[in-house]
Amino acid sequence: MIPAMRDVIVAANWKMNTTPADAGELARTIASRTREPGVIRVICPPFVCLAAVRDALAESDPDVAIGAQTVHHELAGAYTGEISAPMLAGLATWVIVGHSERRRDAGETDELIGRKLTRAVDAGLRPILCVGEQLAERDAGTQEAVVQRQLTGALAADDPERLAAAGLVIAYEPVWAIGTGRNASGQDASAMADAIRDALEAAGLGAGAAAATPVLYGGSVTSANIGEFLAEPAIDGALVGGASLKPDEMAGIVSRAGLTARARRAAA
Ligand code: PGA
């Protein structure tokens, strides 16, 4: 599979930032500054801002997709403070699953993340599954084994072909690069993308579907370093945290993604 066939995606992970009063305006501003043919844009605001972002984008730029930052692994019940996949109907069409901050702060395991994936896909949400190693694991040279174990664990309980058909996206986010200003090299990200597609195949995905699965890089992505990642044919975009709250940064990142999208189309 040539990369020309894969989506180019820039996803904004706003984390625990913005309020219902200001999220719509920020989304509108980012949308208006990131119109690039061929680039899929996704904005993932906090749950309480989803409706404001939806309403703002419905008027100004319905091409921008909206995602949630996580979802619960059960459908309904006594889970105080949680949000289930069916509750996102009409609010979001994408969802981030297994972000390292949730693995760290909410104790999410690969098995639990797999259940979330299933719920997301059952509800028609397109999932972005996050994987990535800790610094000590990279220093020990075990990063590929760690990421492959995370993938295998998260995909074990569902049919990988079904997840791929639902548009599964993998985000490789080395934990030591998230919010630290330190980023992996393009080469490291590319090598990991290859390892990720190998793991998808090992998990039971056909070679074609594994090769067609978009892999994003995440971890201190900015307009200044996005080019290093998108220069790698194995990388299909970015999951952006801190810089995704800054319209100037998003404009630069999506503009660079537009170059990749155009080059892929020309090569197709
Ligand atoms: P960062 O976050 O860009 O602020 O490093 C990325 C992420 O956590 O998705």
Side-chain angles (χ1 to χ4, degrees):
M1 168 82 47
I2 49 171
M5 305 298 290
R6 292 198 298 263
D7 291 336
V8 176
I9 301 164
V10 176
N13 176 9
W14 284 0
K15 307 192 180 185
M16 198 171 73
N17 295 292
T18 70
T19 68
D22 59 28
E25 184 56 31
L26 180 60
R28 218 182 344 252
T29 303
I30 290 173
S32 71
R33 301 205 44 203
T34 56
R35 292 208 175 93
E36 277 291 338
V39 180
I40 295 179
R41 295 165 293 165
V42 189
I43 294 181
C44 304
F47 283 127
V48 294
C49 299
L50 285 169
V53 169
R54 174 200 59 195
D55 293 346
L57 294 176
E59 291 162 16
S60 62
D61 198 338
D63 285 346
V64 179
I66 301 172
Q69 297 175 9
T70 185
V71 71
H72 198 259
H73 58 279
E74 293 294 356
L75 292 174
Y79 301 100
T80 303
E82 298 290 348
I83 303 288
S84 73
M87 292 177 186
L88 293 170
L91 291 169
T93 55
W94 289 62
V95 65
I96 298 169
V97 174
H99 191 281
S100 69
E101 286 154 11
R102 298 217 37 102
R103 294 175 188 259
R104 180 194 67 200
D105 300 336
E108 292 187 7
T109 62
D110 294 323
E111 189 266 338
L112 193 79
I113 290 162
R115 291 162 71 189
K116 289 169 185 270
L117 269 182
T118 294
R119 295 301 188 195
V121 169
D122 285 350
L125 297 166
R126 187 167 182 185
I128 301 176
L129 169 61
C130 299
V131 293
E133 81 284 359
Q134 306 280 341
L135 184 57
E137 294 163 336
R138 175 154 291 265
D139 287 344
T142 58
Q143 68 274 7
E144 291 188 4
V146 167
V147 165
Q148 289 180 326
R149 195 175 61 233
Q150 290 172 338
L151 282 170
T152 310
L155 301 185
D158 207 319
D159 172 8
E161 294 283 354
R162 185 181 91 101
L163 300 177
L168 176 68
V169 173
I170 309 295
Y172 167 53
E173 299 204 303
V175 177
W176 48 271
I178 294 177
T180 58
R182 217 182 132 188
N183 55 277
S185 71
Q187 264 184 343
D188 286 345
S190 176
M192 187 61 86
D194 292 345
I196 284 169
R197 295 195 174 98
D198 288 348
L200 292 175
E201 261 193 84
L205 205 55
T213 301
V215 176
L216 314 183
Y217 170 77
S220 298
V221 170
T222 64
S223 58
N225 65 26
I226 182 68
E228 172 167 1
F229 300 102
L230 286 176
E232 300 292 337
I235 302 292
D236 304 303
L239 178 56
V240 187
S244 76
L245 294 159
K246 301 176 186 155
D248 284 349
E249 283 294 308
M250 283 299 283
I253 292 166
V254 178
S255 161
R256 177 59 188 80
L259 286 182
T260 295
R262 279 196 289 285
R264 289 184 178 193
R265 278 188 182 178

